[in-house]
Amino acid sequence: MHSTLAAPRATSLIREAGFSYFPIALIARLPFAMMVVGVLTLVVAARGSISLGGATSAMTGLGTAIFGPLLGAAADRFGQRRVLLIAGTANSLLLVAIAWLVFTPVADAAVLALAFAIGATMPQVAPLSRGRLVGIIRARFPLARRDRVIVGTMAYESAADEIVFVFGPVIVGLLATTLNPAAPVVGAAALAIVFVTAFALHPSAAKAEPAPHEVADRAPVRTLLRPLVLTPAAGALGMGLFFGTMLTSLTAFMDDRGVPEQAGLVYGAMGVGSAALALAVALFPDRFTLGARWLTFSALVFAGTLALPFIDTVGGMLVCLLIIGIGIGPTLVTQYSLAAARTPRGRSATVMTMLGSGVIVGQSAASAVTGAVAENLGTDAALLAPIAAAAVVLAVGVADALLARRA
């Protein structure tokens, strides 16, 4: 007689995180994707001022940029569950408040202050999801599999971000058109209450909770300032600069052709290619190193942007954005993968929110500057801005490769 023993099942991230985790974490990002565009649409409709709408969006981004890493640090210190429940509840109440106050005679300064508070309390679902999954991988996976699983996870997370940021503005447009301008903001508040709360209370949060000895054993704050920790964050800032310059200059390009409202749809072409290639990163061989991926795909983005000033048709712009999108997804995945690999002990949520805030800061600042360039110097000048932003991403990739080699 032969006795056979069942082979132990390989560890699976889906099983470790829970089957319900991924749909909940995906939908919980939607309020953030709807919020900035929703607030802009609401303020322009209620106050009749595009400049005030742009300033309100910028204040939302500024609040998130300043307080996002602090929320990440709080999650590393006190656990994600507590931080998400407090931030999510406060954010939902503030969204409902601005949906009401913007239609009252309250001063513009009060609207701007409220927008800043909305940004400051923005639940950092995407960075905290990355931090949560990296924590589970490090705790439950054998050392030999960790790096590949982390890269695959960052690929999925970046694709999820792309999907949400393509569909978020579309949902805002549908709600604002079919119901009223306040509907997207109220809808974002309702989604946050339900799905951010579900994300906070999900059993996976307990697996990512820091144990008392882990809190005491966290790496000091100064380790967050190491060059190899800061370069992925600087790269994410460059990506934010690219997103802001690209969308704003594209809006000016479409406005010249009399269809500014279609800018979001054309911009979505970049998101499609980006999401597809972000997922494909998990299939890249190990010998195609993270540093080489950053240089390769950021160079592709830069090369794609060089064609922008010479395009004069919407079809040509679509093709160009599809090509650029092929480089965007893998570059973002690589930056997050490098950040995860270099995160100081016990600082995962902080580092991930640093990258997320970098994208937001870059996007907000670039949108404002590119908008002013388009208005004063024209669309041709504005279309040079994405080239400069792509050059920043590539230059930071070169700096990172040199620092890594020296280290």
Side-chain angles (χ1 to χ4, degrees):
M1 289 181 64
H2 297 281
S3 63
T4 57
L5 293 174
R9 288 192 302 176
T11 311
S12 158
L13 185 59
I14 293 176
R15 194 161 52 242
E16 292 292 341
F19 290 96
S20 62
Y21 174 81
F22 293 94
I24 289 172
L26 181 68
I27 300 172
R29 297 167 207 246
L30 260 180
F32 177 68
M34 294 168 63
M35 217 171 280
V36 177
V37 182
V39 167
L40 171 64
T41 306
L42 171 68
V43 172
V44 171
R47 297 290 174 108
S49 169
I50 294 176
S51 62
L52 178 61
T56 308
S57 272
M59 289 300 283
T60 306
L62 183 63
T64 303
I66 293 172
F67 283 89
L70 297 179
L71 290 175
D76 281 331
R77 175 69 179 83
F78 302 109
Q80 290 191 14
R81 187 165 282 173
R82 200 179 309 177
V83 172
L84 281 164
L85 288 173
I86 294 170
T89 303
N91 192 252
S92 296
L93 292 173
L94 288 166
L95 284 170
V96 172
I98 199 169
W100 169 63
L101 278 175
V102 77
F103 289 102
T104 68
V106 71
D108 290 348
V111 175
L112 292 172
L114 200 53
F116 180 85
I118 287 168
T121 57
M122 190 92 68
Q124 299 290 310
V125 173
L128 292 183
S129 176
R130 287 179 169 92
R132 188 181 297 190
L133 293 175
V134 167
I136 291 172
I137 292 165
R138 286 185 172 158
R140 306 296 176 102
F141 280 71
L143 190 60
R145 289 185 61 206
R146 280 182 203 167
D147 286 350
R148 178 163 280 280
V149 176
I150 284 176
V151 170
T153 302
M154 294 303 117
Y156 162 77
E157 288 285 316
S158 295
D161 285 346
E162 293 286 352
I163 290 165
V164 164
F165 276 96
V166 168
F167 285 104
V170 173
I171 294 170
V172 168
L174 288 173
L175 290 174
T177 304
T178 57
L179 297 175
N180 63 65
V185 172
V186 174
L191 277 173
I193 281 290
V194 176
F195 285 96
V196 173
T197 301
F199 178 72
L201 297 177
H202 193 272
S204 60
K207 295 182 180 181
E209 290 286 310
H213 72 275
E214 290 174 329
V215 173
D217 196 35
R218 280 185 310 158
V221 173
R222 67 175 180 274
T223 58
L224 295 170
L225 302 178
R226 290 174 181 165
L228 284 174
V229 176
L230 291 177
T231 46
L237 173 67
M239 295 302 289
L241 291 172
F242 177 77
F243 293 141
T245 55
M246 191 66 249
L247 180 56
T248 309
S249 59
L250 176 63
T251 303
F253 177 87
M254 298 300 286
D255 188 42
D256 289 350
R257 284 144 188 81
V259 282
E261 69 280 359
Q262 292 181 18
L265 295 174
V266 177
Y267 186 70
M270 189 175 75
V272 172
S274 179
L277 266 291
L279 286 171
V281 169
L283 304 176
F284 291 169
D286 291 339
R287 63 180 178 275
F288 189 12
T289 63
L290 292 175
R293 293 175 195 182
W294 187 339
L295 293 174
T296 301
F297 289 103
S298 61
L300 178 60
V301 174
F302 178 67
T305 60
L306 293 176
L308 290 172
F310 305 102
I311 291 172
D312 55 9
T313 66
V314 174
M317 183 61 76
L318 273 169
V319 172
C320 190
L321 288 174
L322 279 168
I323 293 168
I324 290 170
I326 291 170
I328 291 290
T331 303
L332 266 175
V333 171
T334 301
Q335 290 168 349
Y336 275 103
S337 299
L338 284 170
R342 299 168 182 173
T343 295
R345 188 177 59 255
R347 298 284 181 181
S348 182
T350 309
V351 170
M352 291 301 163
T353 47
M354 282 168 60
L355 266 71
S357 295
V359 172
I360 295 160
V361 170
Q363 193 165 8
S364 300
S367 296
V369 173
T370 310
V373 170
E375 196 168 310
N376 295 305
L377 301 177
T379 300
D380 289 344
L383 285 168
L384 297 174
I387 300 175
V392 170
V393 179
L394 179 58
V396 177
V398 171
D400 182 84
L402 292 174
L403 286 167
R405 182 175 296 179
R406 189 176 303 167

Coordinates of all heavy atoms in Angstrom, one line a residue, residues 84-169:
L84 N -9.2 55.2 8.7 CA -10.1 55.2 7.6 C -11.5 55.5 8.0 O -12.3 56.3 7.3 CB -10.1 53.8 6.9 CG -9.0 53.6 5.9 CD1 -8.9 52.1 5.5 CD2 -9.1 54.4 4.6
L85 N -12.0 55.0 9.2 CA -13.3 55.3 9.6 C -13.5 56.8 10.0 O -14.5 57.4 9.6 CB -13.6 54.4 10.9 CG -13.8 52.9 10.6 CD1 -14.0 52.2 11.9 CD2 -15.1 52.7 9.7
I86 N -12.5 57.4 10.6 CA -12.6 58.8 11.0 C -12.5 59.7 9.7 O -13.4 60.5 9.5 CB -11.4 59.2 12.0 CG1 -11.6 58.4 13.3 CG2 -11.4 60.7 12.2 CD1 -10.4 58.5 14.2
A87 N -11.5 59.4 8.9 CA -11.4 60.2 7.6 C -12.6 60.1 6.7 O -13.1 61.0 6.2 CB -10.1 59.8 6.9
G88 N -13.0 58.8 6.5 CA -14.1 58.6 5.6 C -15.4 59.3 6.0 O -16.1 59.9 5.2
T89 N -15.7 59.2 7.3 CA -16.9 59.8 7.9 C -16.9 61.4 7.7 O -17.8 62.0 7.3 CB -17.1 59.4 9.4 OG1 -17.2 58.0 9.5 CG2 -18.4 60.0 9.9
A90 N -15.7 61.9 8.1 CA -15.5 63.4 8.1 C -15.6 63.8 6.6 O -16.3 64.9 6.3 CB -14.2 63.8 8.6
N91 N -15.0 63.1 5.7 CA -15.0 63.5 4.3 C -16.4 63.5 3.7 O -16.8 64.4 3.0 CB -14.1 62.5 3.5 CG -13.8 63.0 2.1 OD1 -14.3 62.4 1.2 ND2 -13.0 64.0 2.0
S92 N -17.2 62.5 4.1 CA -18.6 62.4 3.5 C -19.4 63.6 4.0 O -20.2 64.1 3.3 CB -19.2 61.1 4.0 OG -18.6 60.0 3.4
L93 N -19.3 63.9 5.3 CA -20.0 65.0 5.9 C -19.6 66.4 5.2 O -20.5 67.2 4.9 CB -19.8 65.1 7.4 CG -20.4 64.0 8.2 CD1 -19.9 64.1 9.7 CD2 -21.9 64.0 8.1
L94 N -18.3 66.5 4.9 CA -17.9 67.7 4.3 C -18.4 67.8 2.8 O -18.7 68.9 2.3 CB -16.3 67.8 4.3 CG -15.7 68.1 5.7 CD1 -14.2 67.7 5.7 CD2 -15.9 69.5 6.1
L95 N -18.4 66.7 2.1 CA -19.0 66.7 0.8 C -20.4 67.1 0.7 O -20.8 67.9 -0.1 CB -18.8 65.3 0.1 CG -17.4 64.9 -0.3 CD1 -17.3 63.4 -0.7 CD2 -17.0 65.8 -1.5
V96 N -21.2 66.6 1.7 CA -22.6 67.0 1.7 C -22.7 68.5 2.1 O -23.5 69.2 1.5 CB -23.4 66.2 2.8 CG1 -24.8 66.7 3.0 CG2 -23.4 64.7 2.4
A97 N -21.8 69.0 2.9 CA -21.8 70.4 3.3 C -21.5 71.3 2.1 O -22.2 72.3 1.9 CB -20.8 70.6 4.4
I98 N -20.5 71.0 1.3 CA -20.2 71.8 0.2 C -21.3 71.8 -0.9 O -21.6 72.8 -1.5 CB -18.8 71.5 -0.4 CG1 -18.3 72.7 -1.3 CG2 -18.9 70.2 -1.3 CD1 -16.9 72.5 -1.7
A99 N -22.0 70.6 -1.0 CA -23.1 70.5 -2.0 C -24.2 71.5 -1.6 O -25.0 72.0 -2.5 CB -23.6 69.1 -2.0
W100 N -24.4 71.8 -0.3 CA -25.4 72.7 0.1 C -24.9 74.1 0.2 O -25.5 75.1 -0.4 CB -25.9 72.3 1.5 CG -26.7 73.3 2.2 CD1 -28.0 73.7 1.8 CD2 -26.4 74.0 3.4 NE1 -28.4 74.7 2.7 CE2 -27.5 74.9 3.7 CE3 -25.3 74.0 4.3 CZ2 -27.5 75.7 4.8 CZ3 -25.4 74.9 5.4 CH2 -26.5 75.7 5.6
L101 N -23.7 74.4 0.7 CA -23.2 75.7 1.0 C -22.9 76.5 -0.3 O -23.0 77.7 -0.4 CB -21.9 75.7 1.8 CG -22.1 75.6 3.3 CD1 -20.8 75.4 4.0 CD2 -22.9 76.8 3.9
V102 N -22.5 75.8 -1.4 CA -22.1 76.4 -2.6 C -23.3 77.2 -3.3 O -23.1 78.1 -4.0 CB -21.4 75.4 -3.6 CG1 -22.4 74.5 -4.2 CG2 -20.5 76.1 -4.6
F103 N -24.5 76.8 -2.9 CA -25.7 77.4 -3.5 C -26.2 78.5 -2.6 O -27.2 79.2 -2.9 CB -26.8 76.4 -3.7 CG -26.5 75.4 -4.9 CD1 -26.0 74.1 -4.6 CD2 -26.7 75.8 -6.2 CE1 -25.8 73.3 -5.7 CE2 -26.4 75.0 -7.2 CZ -25.9 73.7 -7.0
T104 N -25.6 78.7 -1.5 CA -25.9 79.8 -0.5 C -25.1 81.0 -0.8 O -24.0 80.9 -1.5 CB -25.8 79.4 0.9 OG1 -24.4 79.2 1.2 CG2 -26.6 78.0 1.2
P105 N -25.4 82.2 -0.1 CA -24.5 83.4 -0.4 C -23.2 83.4 0.4 O -22.5 84.4 0.5 CB -25.4 84.5 0.2 CG -26.8 84.0 0.4 CD -26.6 82.5 0.6
V106 N -22.8 82.3 0.9 CA -21.5 82.2 1.6 C -20.3 82.7 0.7 O -20.4 82.5 -0.5 CB -21.3 80.8 2.2 CG1 -20.9 79.8 1.0 CG2 -20.2 80.7 3.2
A107 N -19.3 83.3 1.4 CA -18.2 83.8 0.6 C -17.4 82.7 -0.1 O -17.4 81.6 0.4 CB -17.3 84.6 1.6
D108 N -16.8 83.2 -1.2 CA -15.9 82.2 -1.9 C -14.8 81.6 -1.1 O -14.4 80.5 -1.2 CB -15.3 82.9 -3.1 CG -16.3 83.3 -4.2 OD1 -17.5 82.7 -4.1 OD2 -16.0 84.0 -5.1
A109 N -14.3 82.4 -0.1 CA -13.2 82.0 0.7 C -13.7 80.8 1.6 O -12.9 79.8 1.8 CB -12.7 83.1 1.7
A110 N -14.9 80.8 2.0 CA -15.4 79.6 2.8 C -15.5 78.4 1.9 O -15.2 77.3 2.4 CB -16.8 80.0 3.3
V111 N -15.9 78.5 0.6 CA -15.9 77.4 -0.3 C -14.5 76.8 -0.5 O -14.3 75.6 -0.5 CB -16.6 77.8 -1.6 CG1 -16.5 76.7 -2.6 CG2 -18.0 78.3 -1.5
L112 N -13.6 77.7 -0.6 CA -12.2 77.2 -0.8 C -11.7 76.5 0.4 O -11.0 75.5 0.4 CB -11.3 78.4 -1.1 CG -11.5 79.1 -2.5 CD1 -10.7 80.4 -2.6 CD2 -11.1 78.1 -3.6
A113 N -12.0 77.1 1.6 CA -11.6 76.4 2.9 C -12.2 75.0 3.0 O -11.6 74.1 3.5 CB -11.9 77.3 4.1
L114 N -13.5 74.9 2.6 CA -14.2 73.7 2.7 C -13.6 72.7 1.7 O -13.4 71.5 2.1 CB -15.7 73.9 2.4 CG -16.7 72.8 2.9 CD1 -16.5 72.5 4.3 CD2 -18.1 73.2 2.5
A115 N -13.2 73.1 0.6 CA -12.5 72.3 -0.4 C -11.2 71.7 0.1 O -10.9 70.6 -0.1 CB -12.3 73.0 -1.7
F116 N -10.4 72.6 0.8 CA -9.2 72.2 1.4 C -9.4 71.1 2.4 O -8.7 70.1 2.5 CB -8.5 73.4 2.0 CG -7.1 73.0 2.7 CD1 -6.0 73.0 1.9 CD2 -7.1 72.7 4.0 CE1 -4.8 72.6 2.5 CE2 -5.9 72.4 4.6 CZ -4.7 72.3 3.8
A117 N -10.5 71.3 3.2 CA -10.8 70.3 4.3 C -11.2 68.9 3.6 O -10.9 67.9 4.2 CB -11.9 70.8 5.2
I118 N -11.9 69.0 2.5 CA -12.3 67.8 1.8 C -11.1 67.0 1.3 O -11.0 65.8 1.5 CB -13.3 68.1 0.6 CG1 -14.6 68.6 1.1 CG2 -13.4 67.0 -0.4 CD1 -15.5 69.2 0.1
G119 N -10.1 67.8 0.8 CA -8.9 67.1 0.3 C -8.1 66.5 1.5 O -7.6 65.5 1.4
A120 N -8.1 67.3 2.6 CA -7.3 66.8 3.8 C -7.9 65.6 4.4 O -7.1 64.7 5.0 CB -7.3 68.0 4.9
T121 N -9.2 65.4 4.3 CA -9.8 64.2 4.9 C -10.1 63.1 3.9 O -10.7 62.1 4.2 CB -11.2 64.5 5.6 OG1 -12.0 65.1 4.6 CG2 -11.0 65.5 6.7
M122 N -9.5 63.2 2.7 CA -9.7 62.2 1.6 C -9.2 60.9 2.1 O -8.1 60.7 2.4 CB -8.9 62.7 0.4 CG -9.2 61.9 -0.8 SD -10.5 62.6 -1.8 CE -9.7 64.1 -2.4
P123 N -10.1 59.9 2.1 CA -9.6 58.5 2.6 C -8.6 58.0 1.5 O -8.9 57.9 0.4 CB -10.9 57.7 2.5 CG -12.0 58.6 2.5 CD -11.5 59.9 1.8
Q124 N -7.4 57.6 2.0 CA -6.3 57.2 1.1 C -6.4 55.8 0.8 O -5.6 55.0 1.1 CB -5.0 57.6 1.8 CG -4.8 59.0 2.1 CD -4.5 59.8 0.9 OE1 -3.7 59.5 0.0 NE2 -5.3 60.9 0.7
V125 N -7.5 55.4 0.1 CA -7.8 54.0 -0.1 C -6.7 53.3 -1.0 O -6.2 52.3 -0.7 CB -9.2 53.8 -0.8 CG1 -9.4 52.4 -1.2 CG2 -10.3 54.3 0.2
A126 N -6.4 54.0 -2.1 CA -5.4 53.3 -3.0 C -4.0 53.1 -2.4 O -3.5 52.0 -2.4 CB -5.3 54.1 -4.3
P127 N -3.4 54.1 -1.8 CA -2.1 53.9 -1.1 C -2.3 52.9 0.1 O -1.4 52.0 0.3 CB -1.7 55.2 -0.6 CG -2.5 56.2 -1.4 CD -3.8 55.5 -1.7
L128 N -3.3 53.0 0.8 CA -3.5 52.1 2.0 C -3.8 50.6 1.5 O -3.4 49.7 2.2 CB -4.6 52.6 2.9 CG -4.3 53.9 3.7 CD1 -5.4 54.2 4.6 CD2 -3.0 53.8 4.4
S129 N -4.5 50.5 0.4 CA -4.6 49.2 -0.2 C -3.3 48.6 -0.6 O -3.0 47.4 -0.3 CB -5.6 49.2 -1.4 OG -5.7 47.9 -2.0
R130 N -2.4 49.3 -1.2 CA -1.1 48.9 -1.5 C -0.3 48.5 -0.3 O 0.3 47.4 -0.2 CB -0.3 49.9 -2.3 CG -0.8 50.1 -3.7 CD 0.0 51.2 -4.4 NE -0.2 51.3 -5.9 CZ -1.1 52.0 -6.5 NH1 -1.9 52.8 -5.7 NH2 -1.3 52.0 -7.8
G131 N -0.4 49.4 0.7 CA 0.3 49.1 2.0 C -0.2 47.8 2.7 O 0.6 47.0 3.2
R132 N -1.5 47.7 2.6 CA -2.2 46.5 3.3 C -1.7 45.2 2.6 O -1.3 44.2 3.3 CB -3.7 46.6 3.2 CG -4.4 45.6 4.0 CD -5.9 45.7 3.9 NE -6.4 47.0 4.5 CZ -7.7 47.2 4.6 NH1 -8.6 46.3 4.3 NH2 -8.1 48.4 5.1
L133 N -1.7 45.2 1.3 CA -1.4 44.0 0.5 C 0.1 43.7 0.7 O 0.5 42.5 0.8 CB -1.8 44.1 -0.9 CG -3.3 44.2 -1.2 CD1 -3.5 44.5 -2.7 CD2 -4.0 42.9 -0.7
V134 N 1.0 44.7 0.7 CA 2.4 44.5 0.8 C 2.6 43.9 2.2 O 3.5 43.0 2.4 CB 3.2 45.8 0.7 CG1 4.6 45.6 1.1 CG2 3.2 46.2 -0.8
G135 N 1.9 44.4 3.3 CA 2.0 43.8 4.6 C 1.7 42.4 4.7 O 2.3 41.5 5.3
I136 N 0.6 42.0 4.0 CA 0.1 40.6 3.9 C 1.2 39.7 3.2 O 1.5 38.6 3.7 CB -1.2 40.5 3.3 CG1 -2.3 41.1 4.2 CG2 -1.6 39.0 3.0 CD1 -3.7 41.2 3.5
I137 N 1.7 40.2 2.1 CA 2.7 39.5 1.4 C 3.9 39.2 2.2 O 4.5 38.1 2.3 CB 3.1 40.2 0.1 CG1 1.9 40.2 -0.9 CG2 4.3 39.6 -0.6 CD1 2.0 41.2 -2.0
R138 N 4.4 40.2 2.9 CA 5.6 40.1 3.7 C 5.4 39.2 4.9 O 6.3 38.5 5.3 CB 6.1 41.5 4.2 CG 6.7 42.3 3.1 CD 7.3 43.6 3.6 NE 8.0 44.2 2.5 CZ 8.3 45.5 2.4 NH1 7.8 46.3 3.4 NH2 9.0 46.0 1.4
A139 N 4.2 39.1 5.4 CA 3.9 38.3 6.6 C 3.6 36.8 6.2 O 3.9 35.9 6.9 CB 2.7 38.8 7.3
R140 N 3.0 36.6 5.0 CA 2.5 35.3 4.7 C 3.2 34.5 3.6 O 3.0 33.3 3.4 CB 1.0 35.4 4.3 CG 0.1 36.1 5.3 CD 0.0 35.3 6.6 NE -0.7 36.0 7.6 CZ -2.0 35.7 8.0 NH1 -2.6 34.7 7.4 NH2 -2.6 36.4 9.0
F141 N 4.0 35.2 2.8 CA 4.7 34.6 1.6 C 6.1 34.2 1.9 O 6.8 35.0 2.6 CB 4.6 35.5 0.4 CG 3.2 35.5 -0.3 CD1 2.1 36.1 0.3 CD2 3.1 34.9 -1.5 CE1 0.9 36.1 -0.3 CE2 1.8 34.9 -2.1 CZ 0.7 35.5 -1.5
P142 N 6.6 33.1 1.3 CA 8.0 32.8 1.5 C 8.9 33.8 0.8 O 8.5 34.4 -0.2 CB 8.1 31.4 0.8 CG 6.9 31.3 -0.1 CD 5.9 32.1 0.6
L143 N 10.1 34.0 1.3 CA 11.0 35.1 0.8 C 11.2 35.0 -0.7 O 11.2 36.0 -1.4 CB 12.3 35.0 1.5 CG 13.3 36.1 1.3 CD1 12.7 37.5 1.8 CD2 14.6 35.9 2.1
A144 N 11.3 33.7 -1.3 CA 11.6 33.5 -2.7 C 10.5 34.1 -3.6 O 10.8 34.4 -4.7 CB 11.9 32.0 -2.9
R145 N 9.3 34.1 -3.1 CA 8.2 34.6 -4.0 C 7.8 36.0 -3.8 O 7.0 36.6 -4.6 CB 6.9 33.7 -3.7 CG 7.0 32.3 -4.1 CD 5.7 31.5 -3.9 NE 4.6 32.2 -4.6 CZ 3.3 32.1 -4.3 NH1 3.0 31.4 -3.2 NH2 2.4 32.7 -5.0
R146 N 8.3 36.7 -2.7 CA 7.8 38.0 -2.4 C 7.9 39.0 -3.5 O 7.0 39.7 -3.8 CB 8.5 38.5 -1.1 CG 7.9 37.9 0.2 CD 8.6 38.4 1.4 NE 8.4 37.5 2.5 CZ 9.1 37.6 3.6 NH1 10.0 38.5 3.8 NH2 8.9 36.7 4.6
D147 N 9.1 39.2 -4.0 CA 9.4 40.2 -5.0 C 8.4 40.1 -6.2 O 7.8 41.1 -6.6 CB 10.8 40.2 -5.5 CG 11.8 40.7 -4.4 OD1 11.3 41.3 -3.4 OD2 13.0 40.6 -4.6
R148 N 8.3 38.9 -6.7 CA 7.4 38.7 -7.9 C 6.0 39.0 -7.6 O 5.2 39.6 -8.3 CB 7.6 37.3 -8.5 CG 6.7 37.1 -9.7 CD 7.2 35.8 -10.4 NE 8.3 36.2 -11.3 CZ 8.1 36.7 -12.5 NH1 6.9 37.1 -12.9 NH2 9.1 37.0 -13.3
V149 N 5.5 38.6 -6.4 CA 4.1 38.8 -6.0 C 3.9 40.3 -5.7 O 2.8 40.8 -6.1 CB 3.8 38.0 -4.7 CG1 2.3 38.3 -4.2 CG2 3.9 36.5 -5.0
I150 N 4.8 41.0 -5.2 CA 4.7 42.4 -4.9 C 4.6 43.2 -6.3 O 3.7 44.0 -6.5 CB 5.9 43.0 -4.1 CG1 5.7 42.6 -2.6 CG2 5.9 44.5 -4.2 CD1 6.8 43.0 -1.7
V151 N 5.4 42.8 -7.3 CA 5.3 43.5 -8.6 C 4.0 43.2 -9.2 O 3.3 44.1 -9.8 CB 6.5 43.0 -9.5 CG1 6.3 43.5 -10.9 CG2 7.8 43.5 -9.0
G152 N 3.5 41.9 -9.1 CA 2.2 41.6 -9.7 C 1.1 42.4 -9.0 O 0.1 42.8 -9.7
T153 N 1.2 42.6 -7.7 CA 0.2 43.3 -6.9 C 0.2 44.8 -7.3 O -0.9 45.4 -7.5 CB 0.5 43.1 -5.4 OG1 0.5 41.8 -5.1 CG2 -0.6 43.9 -4.6
M154 N 1.4 45.4 -7.5 CA 1.5 46.8 -7.9 C 0.9 46.9 -9.3 O 0.3 48.0 -9.6 CB 2.9 47.3 -7.8 CG 3.5 47.3 -6.4 SD 2.6 48.3 -5.3 CE 2.1 47.1 -4.1
A155 N 1.1 45.9 -10.1 CA 0.5 46.0 -11.5 C -1.0 46.0 -11.4 O -1.7 46.8 -12.1 CB 1.0 44.7 -12.3
Y156 N -1.6 45.1 -10.6 CA -3.1 45.1 -10.4 C -3.5 46.5 -9.9 O -4.5 47.1 -10.3 CB -3.5 44.0 -9.5 CG -4.9 44.3 -9.0 CD1 -6.0 44.0 -9.9 CD2 -5.1 44.8 -7.8 CE1 -7.3 44.3 -9.4 CE2 -6.4 45.1 -7.3 CZ -7.5 44.9 -8.2 OH -8.8 45.2 -7.7
E157 N -2.9 47.0 -8.8 CA -3.3 48.2 -8.2 C -3.2 49.4 -9.1 O -4.1 50.2 -9.1 CB -2.4 48.5 -6.9 CG -2.6 47.5 -5.8 CD -3.9 47.8 -5.0 OE1 -4.2 49.0 -4.8 OE2 -4.7 46.9 -4.7
S158 N -2.2 49.5 -9.9 CA -2.1 50.6 -10.9 C -3.2 50.5 -12.0 O -3.8 51.5 -12.4 CB -0.7 50.6 -11.6 OG 0.3 50.8 -10.6
A159 N -3.5 49.2 -12.4 CA -4.6 49.1 -13.4 C -5.9 49.5 -12.8 O -6.7 50.1 -13.4 CB -4.6 47.6 -13.8
A160 N -6.1 49.1 -11.5 CA -7.3 49.5 -10.8 C -7.5 51.0 -10.7 O -8.6 51.6 -10.9 CB -7.4 48.9 -9.4
D161 N -6.4 51.7 -10.4 CA -6.4 53.2 -10.4 C -6.8 53.7 -11.7 O -7.6 54.7 -11.8 CB -5.0 53.7 -10.0 CG -4.7 53.5 -8.5 OD1 -5.6 53.2 -7.7 OD2 -3.5 53.7 -8.1
E162 N -6.2 53.2 -12.8 CA -6.5 53.7 -14.1 C -8.0 53.5 -14.5 O -8.6 54.4 -15.0 CB -5.6 52.9 -15.2 CG -4.1 53.2 -15.1 CD -3.8 54.5 -15.6 OE1 -4.6 55.2 -16.2 OE2 -2.6 54.9 -15.5
I163 N -8.5 52.3 -14.2 CA -9.9 52.0 -14.4 C -10.8 53.0 -13.7 O -11.7 53.6 -14.3 CB -10.3 50.6 -14.0 CG1 -9.6 49.6 -15.0 CG2 -11.8 50.4 -14.0 CD1 -9.5 48.2 -14.4
V164 N -10.5 53.3 -12.4 CA -11.3 54.2 -11.6 C -11.2 55.6 -12.2 O -12.2 56.3 -12.2 CB -10.9 54.1 -10.2 CG1 -11.4 55.3 -9.4 CG2 -11.4 52.8 -9.6
F165 N -10.0 56.0 -12.6 CA -9.8 57.4 -13.0 C -10.3 57.6 -14.4 O -10.5 58.8 -14.8 CB -8.4 57.9 -12.8 CG -8.1 58.3 -11.4 CD1 -7.5 57.4 -10.5 CD2 -8.4 59.6 -11.0 CE1 -7.3 57.8 -9.2 CE2 -8.2 60.0 -9.7 CZ -7.6 59.1 -8.8
V166 N -10.6 56.6 -15.2 CA -11.2 56.7 -16.4 C -12.7 56.8 -16.2 O -13.4 57.7 -16.8 CB -10.9 55.6 -17.4 CG1 -11.8 55.5 -18.6 CG2 -9.4 55.7 -17.8
F167 N -13.3 56.0 -15.4 CA -14.7 55.9 -15.2 C -15.3 56.9 -14.2 O -16.4 57.3 -14.3 CB -15.2 54.5 -14.8 CG -15.1 53.5 -16.0 CD1 -14.1 52.6 -16.0 CD2 -16.1 53.5 -17.0 CE1 -14.0 51.7 -17.1 CE2 -16.0 52.6 -18.0 CZ -15.0 51.7 -18.1
G168 N -14.5 57.4 -13.3 CA -14.9 58.3 -12.3 C -15.5 59.6 -12.9 O -16.6 60.0 -12.7
P169 N -14.7 60.3 -13.8 CA -15.2 61.5 -14.5 C -16.4 61.2 -15.3 O -17.3 62.1 -15.5 CB -14.0 62.0 -15.3 CG -12.8 61.4 -14.6 CD -13.3 60.1 -14.0

